[in-house]
Amino acid sequence: MVTGETNSKRKINEECIINRLPGDVIERIFLSLPVSTLLRCVGVCKHWHDFIRDPQFVASHLRNAHRYALLFFPQGLVSGEPYPSEGILIDEAWSPSIYTVPVIGPDDFVFGSCNGLLGLYTKTSTIKIANLATGECLHIQKPAKNVRGHHFSFYNFGFHPVTKEYKITHFLGDTECRHRCKDNFSFIQVYTLGDEKWKDIPTPQALSLNCVRNSGVVNLDGIVYWLTEDKMASWQHAVMSFDLREESFAMIQLPAAREDHDYFGPRNFWIRDIDGKLCVVTAQTGRYDSRILHGELQIWTLDNLAEQRWSQKYNIKNPPNYIPGPHFGHRGRILTQSSISVSSYELINENIEISLSKMEELFDLSPRRPYNMQSYICVKSLVCLDVYKKAGIVRRPKQQVGWQLKKWEAWENELREVEKMRSNIHKLEHKIFGVIDKMVKMHQLLVDNSHAISERVRTELNQVLQHKPENPYQTRFLRRLNWVEQKRDKEELMLRSSKMKGIIQAISQAQDNIYSITRSHMLDQGISLPDISSTDDKKNEEENIPC
């Protein structure tokens, strides 16, 4: 027997105009919507749920997704006090977000971005794969401990477009070796999402872990790339690759020769992704300070993997000192970090001289530590992690994570105090607006009844209007600002609250003056006074102003 509720749902489905459209039209409509809207649409009806959750639609929406730059700053110390890890999203208009990325905890380190999923780890807990848009997380048991410590370049996260598999790789430092090869690794540990355990895959030869740490790792089209030392080559480096599908290694030679020579000092090399292309970035550094770059910053692009053919893409004069990665460029610009700010520079042509005119400052760096920013390209997607959660290697975090950790309680308390202060100021400012509106009405009554008295009141009212708050704070959802924006927000609230007492005192005095001027006259005329707050009420408000 069909229930009334089932009939009602069926009727809603039948009456839905969108469901009457052809399937390809519905798909185009849904493809144009952001993930946040689609997540709300999932609950409208079963038809929409099945359509939006269909793997083919998820893949199509992913191909059309907007690309963001994610700038990650690992946790550290400022004046002896800990500050949390945070990520800042840069949108297509190069506007930085002021809110935290919710899936990044205060102790998290980012090691990869792929199809809207972030790869993260902490030093004491599990590896975490998190969907940037939906907040869904998958916690995975770590592989064998790396005796060389933790570093974001030792982990990598990628997707193979043919097998449709997501894989995490980990460079495992050699546990038994002589002193001269203490920074080598002979195994790559690989985990495929959904499998029951990690696999150890031996490298063809001992490779430099220190080179990985200094030069970085890139994952493109299901292949992991990094630099290794090769004393026989002209650059004394070569590119190693690891195919996630075949789980096999290959070596790629760098260009035979460079046009310049190492006049100024030793040379640094970085492997980077610029707009989906594998690039090697190189520059000479100071003999006594490797952070100072000399000469020109050359960017070489791998044009043909099979033929190992490279071309020099850019030659940048007066380059920045810090080369973030693994994604160095975004939408025709390169991202840089100085000791005071994060900026971007436009890549106009092959030979570029960086100058202030081509620089666009994104945001002030202070008080974050300089020269530790990582940059990733990410999207917001509907990729679901449920299918991988039944694997035996999936774990709950070993301990409390994120903002639940005791050492971050002060941050939580400060957030609550700031929001309480914002709420109090919001209420007081709107009370002030109400008092001023009533006083304006009183003035209008005086204009209608006595021009002489109204002119005296106008003088007092002008004093009040000078103190009328501008752009009063509006209530908003309790959403965490990134920690620097939270600090600035609190300072602004403190400044605003300190001015509030003076404003209320000025308004109270003016209100009393107006009352004394008008009371006897209006009572004689038999005109009732508007009901406005008394002096005692304003004293109570004054005492409740947050400090």
Side-chain angles (χ1 to χ4, degrees):
M1 181 176 178
V2 180
T3 65
E5 184 180 358
T6 304
N7 282 330
S8 176
K9 289 182 178 179
R10 181 177 296 173
K11 186 176 180 181
I12 292 173
N13 247 348
E14 291 173 352
E15 291 177 353
C16 181
I17 297 176
I18 294 181
N19 289 340
R20 298 178 186 176
L21 299 173
D24 60 334
V25 176
I26 295 176
E27 183 177 16
R28 285 202 296 271
I29 292 173
F30 283 151
L31 284 176
S32 66
L33 299 176
V35 172
S36 57
T37 303
L38 290 172
L39 291 175
R40 292 195 294 270
C41 292
V42 163
V44 171
C45 63
K46 186 177 184 302
H47 178 65
W48 286 19
H49 176 278
D50 295 343
F51 195 100
I52 294 170
R53 288 302 188 187
D54 183 84
Q56 290 187 351
F57 175 79
V58 171
S60 298
H61 190 272
L62 182 61
R63 286 192 293 271
N64 294 279
H66 296 300
R67 293 161 63 85
Y68 298 83
L70 171 65
L71 308 183
F72 174 73
F73 298 87
Q75 52 104 342
L77 295 174
V78 172
S79 301
E81 294 295 325
Y83 67 84
S85 296
E86 63 171 338
I88 295 178
L89 289 174
I90 308 293
D91 62 19
E92 290 189 312
W94 287 92
S95 177
S97 65
I98 63 171
Y99 296 105
T100 58
V101 178
V103 297
I104 299 178
D107 277 346
D108 284 344
F109 293 86
V110 178
F111 65 82
S113 172
C114 180
N115 291 351
L117 304 178
L118 292 182
L120 308 110
Y121 71 89
T122 69
K123 294 180 179 179
T124 56
S125 188
T126 56
I127 290 174
K128 180 172 69 175
I129 303 299
N131 186 302
L132 181 68
T134 67
E136 184 183 10
C137 294
L138 181 72
H139 292 268
I140 300 165
Q141 178 185 332
K142 284 184 178 179
K145 184 178 180 181
N146 198 327
V147 295
R148 306 305 166 202
H150 285 283
H151 192 273
F152 68 90
S153 290
F154 295 168
Y155 290 99
N156 197 260
F157 178 54
F159 173 79
H160 201 286
V162 176
T163 63
K164 311 299 182 185
E165 293 177 327
Y166 290 93
K167 294 192 177 186
I168 305 170
T169 58
H170 177 235
F171 298 137
L172 179 63
D174 292 341
T175 56
E176 296 181 4
C177 60
R178 297 178 182 177
H179 179 73
R180 62 183 175 83
C181 61
K182 64 179 181 178
D183 284 321
N184 285 353
F185 67 98
S186 300
F187 285 90
I188 287 185
Q189 297 175 298
V190 180
Y191 176 69
T192 303
L193 294 196
D195 282 0
E196 295 298 317
K197 62 180 181 180
W198 290 80
K199 292 188 293 185
D200 290 347
I201 300 177
T203 61
Q205 63 200 49
L207 301 171
S208 171
L209 197 64
N210 194 47
C211 196
V212 170
R213 183 189 293 108
N214 294 334
S215 302
V217 181
V218 167
N219 197 312
L220 282 169
D221 298 324
I223 301 178
V224 184
Y225 299 94
W226 68 95
L227 290 175
T228 190
E229 295 175 350
D230 184 356
K231 300 299 182 183
M232 303 301 295
S234 61
W235 292 36
Q236 297 189 339
H237 285 78
V239 176
M240 288 295 301
S241 69
F242 178 72
D243 191 307
L244 294 180
R245 179 186 181 185
E246 304 296 334
E247 295 185 344
S248 59
F249 297 87
M251 181 176 286
I252 303 169
Q253 294 297 327
L254 290 170
R258 301 186 308 272
E259 294 181 2
D260 65 335
H261 301 281
D262 300 344
Y263 293 120
F264 300 106
R267 179 173 290 275
N268 274 4
F269 298 89
W270 302 271
I271 192 161
R272 293 293 184 260
D273 175 348
I274 299 181
D275 295 328
K277 289 280 191 178
L278 178 68
C279 297
V280 171
V281 182
T282 177
Q284 295 178 67
T285 61
R287 295 185 183 277
Y288 305 106
D289 189 347
S290 60
R291 294 176 301 178
I292 299 176
L293 304 187
H294 293 288
E296 298 173 345
L297 185 75
Q298 297 182 4
I299 300 177
W300 294 73
T301 302
L302 181 62
D303 296 325
N304 188 296
L305 176 59
E307 299 177 6
Q308 301 189 13
R309 187 173 70 246
W310 298 80
S311 65
Q312 185 173 330
K313 184 70 173 178
Y314 299 107
N315 195 42
I316 301 175
K317 300 176 182 179
N318 304 321
N321 289 336
Y322 182 73
I323 312 299
H327 297 91
F328 183 36
H330 179 53
R331 297 176 59 84
R333 304 183 73 91
I334 58 172
L335 294 160
T336 67
Q337 180 193 36
S338 69
S339 60
I340 59 174
S341 66
V342 174
S343 306
S344 68
Y345 292 86
E346 187 176 2
L347 296 173
I348 300 174
N349 50 49
E350 292 185 357
N351 290 291
I352 303 167
E353 182 172 351
I354 284 185
S355 63
L356 291 178
S357 63
K358 297 173 184 175
M359 181 190 75
E360 181 177 334
E361 185 172 310
L362 300 178
F363 55 89
D364 183 12
L365 181 66
S366 176
R368 304 176 184 93
R369 283 172 52 197
Y371 310 124
N372 68 343
M373 181 181 79
Q374 297 162 232
S375 59
Y376 298 88
I377 301 300
C378 61
V379 297
K380 295 182 178 180
S381 76
L382 294 162
V383 173
C384 184
L385 295 171
D386 276 344
V387 67
Y388 308 114
K389 290 183 177 179
K390 295 181 180 179
I393 199 172
V394 174
R395 296 283 188 270
R396 289 186 176 182
K398 295 179 181 178
Q399 61 175 38
Q400 283 189 319
V401 296
W403 297 98
Q404 299 172 351
L405 289 172
K406 187 174 182 179
K407 70 177 182 178
W408 300 112
E409 285 181 356
W411 285 91
E412 288 291 281
N413 293 336
E414 183 176 1
L415 178 65
R416 284 191 285 269
E417 288 298 319
V418 168
E419 290 305 321
K420 183 179 178 181
M421 183 188 302
R422 180 186 297 278
S423 177
N424 288 341
I425 292 177
H426 169 77
K427 292 176 183 177
L428 285 172
E429 286 182 337
H430 279 269
K431 283 184 179 180
I432 292 172
F433 267 84
V435 171
I436 292 175
D437 287 342
K438 289 179 180 179
M439 294 173 72
V440 170
K441 291 177 182 178
M442 178 184 289
H443 175 261
Q444 187 60 47
L445 285 173
L446 292 172
V447 170
D448 295 339
N449 292 275
S450 177
H451 178 74
I453 295 179
S454 70
E455 287 304 313
R456 294 174 60 190
V457 174
R458 167 62 70 180
T459 303
E460 295 292 338
L461 187 58
N462 286 337
Q463 295 295 322
V464 172
L465 293 176
Q466 289 179 6
H467 297 285
K468 187 176 181 180
E470 296 180 2
N471 302 320
Y473 280 112
Q474 301 298 318
T475 55
R476 62 178 177 83
F477 295 109
L478 183 61
R479 184 180 176 191
R480 187 187 303 280
L481 296 166
N482 65 53
W483 78 272
V484 171
E485 291 296 335
Q486 180 178 327
K487 180 174 179 292
R488 292 170 181 163
D489 186 49
K490 183 178 179 180
E491 290 172 353
E492 182 183 347
L493 285 172
M494 293 291 287
L495 179 62
R496 196 153 189 161
S497 66
S498 67
K499 293 179 179 179
M500 195 67 63
K501 185 173 293 187
I503 291 174
I504 290 179
Q505 288 175 346
I507 291 175
S508 297
Q509 184 61 51
Q511 181 177 325
D512 292 342
N513 292 342
I514 291 174
Y515 252 76
S516 65
I517 293 171
T518 61
R519 184 176 180 81
S520 59
H521 176 79
M522 294 184 70
L523 291 177
D524 291 342
Q525 298 294 321
I527 302 172
S528 60
L529 292 171
D531 181 24
I532 63 175
S533 300
S534 67
T535 302
D536 290 338
D537 291 334
K538 288 184 284 298
K539 285 182 178 178
N540 291 332
E541 292 173 1
E542 191 175 317
E543 291 172 357
N544 290 326
I545 294 174
C547 297

